[in-house]
Amino acid sequence: GLFKNLINPMFVFSTDKKLMDFNKAAVAYFKGINPAVIGQIDIDGFFLKYIGEKFSFNPQFFSKEVELLVPAAALRKGPPVQNMRTAEELVNRVFNMLFVCQRDSFGRIGGYLVVFADITESKKEYVSVKTIADIDQNSGLASYHSLQNTMHDIDLHDLYPYTAVVCTIAGLKFIESGMGRPEVDNAIRMVADVVRSEVRSSDF
């Protein structure tokens, strides 16, 4: 009962990698999953149909981020909406796919478990936080943190030659003492606008 009612789609494959069982969430998220396919589809066929790639992993455990189109109805909370249009609406979601090789106490393989955890919202939050970290909030230009990462990538891939231009804004302390911090921020934004207007799309 616990397995059947877990909110994450779960699939169980036998030792010969044939689909052996799945829960209710698997039926809701994956079109075509029903009792008739038990024993009829193997893990290779499952990966090709639903993940879009060949199953090429052979470890005891791995996790992978995958993007899937799933029925919007599977994401709705509460009872089904009455008089809803029958046309199936698909939405793009990001999942962490977990593959586990199940073994008994003697180390013998007893089957394989594939679990999908929807991480779409946490992924959005991560992208949002990363954007804040990578962009200077006053100037709108790339932050020092982003510069460090870019320099690392340049060194890593030997993308030479490249040119670095360094500039400073003179008189900021004078502006601050005479007109206040808001005018300093305004001066920085004005310089940032000039820089933005002069750089190419390929420049950082």
Side-chain angles (χ1 to χ4, degrees), residues 10 17 31 47 49 57 67 80 85 104 157 161 171 175 191 199:
M10 302 178 69
K17 297 185 179 179
K31 186 177 180 180
F47 267 66
K49 183 173 182 179
F57 305 93
E67 290 190 21
R85 293 173 59 186
D104 63 19
H157 296 100
I175 295 172
V191 173
V199 298

Side-chain angles (χ1 to χ4, degrees), residues 168-188:
T168 186
I169 307 173
L172 288 181
K173 286 185 178 180
F174 173 77
I175 295 172
E176 184 172 16
S177 62
M179 291 175 278
R181 182 66 200 185
E183 287 304 315
V184 171
D185 293 339
N186 188 45
I188 293 171

